[in-house]
Amino acid sequence: MIPQIKRILYTTDLSDNSAFVFRYAINFAKKHDAGIIILHVLEPLSVTAKALSRSHLRVEQEKEISEEKIAYVKERIRKGLKTFYEKELKNDPDSADRVESIELFEGFPAEMILRKADELNCDAIVMGTHGKGILANTFLGSTSKRVLRRTRKPVFIIPLPKGETDITLQNV
């Protein structure tokens, strides 16, 4: 018997055309009558960047900048979702209500995706991948590859199309 899918973790890096992958997440959620949790992982600053910021900022300033960054990213996702809803789901409010929460965490993307998929009781993961460089059609992205190697949950990897799609979370 195939396990039921009740909660989907949709991961986004907010890159161009990432809303394209969200279409798949919505469609998948509708077919399984599932909820969606949106996850964006803020990668930590490099050791060099941290040392540089600490040499110029007080701890309070650094914390304030970090909180502002998180608020900014959350607002971008909300605006992108609003645009998506207006364009894609205006006649389908049930689908718009499938988003249970928007989660932002700082850490290494693959590690956080795996951890949060478990902690948030997600039954499947939907994520996009976009190859870069000359081997774009040969390899998955490094985050996608790491998630696939280490999870026991179904992972749906959607290749991002070349060129622009008609909707994006990037430019809102």
Side-chain angles (χ1 to χ4, degrees), residues 123-135:
D123 305 301
I125 302 168
V126 175
M127 60 192 306
T129 188
H130 41 86
K132 295 177 181 164
I134 196 164
L135 300 174

Side-chain angles (χ1 to χ4, degrees), residues 48 72 94 107:
T48 305
Y72 170 76
D94 179 51

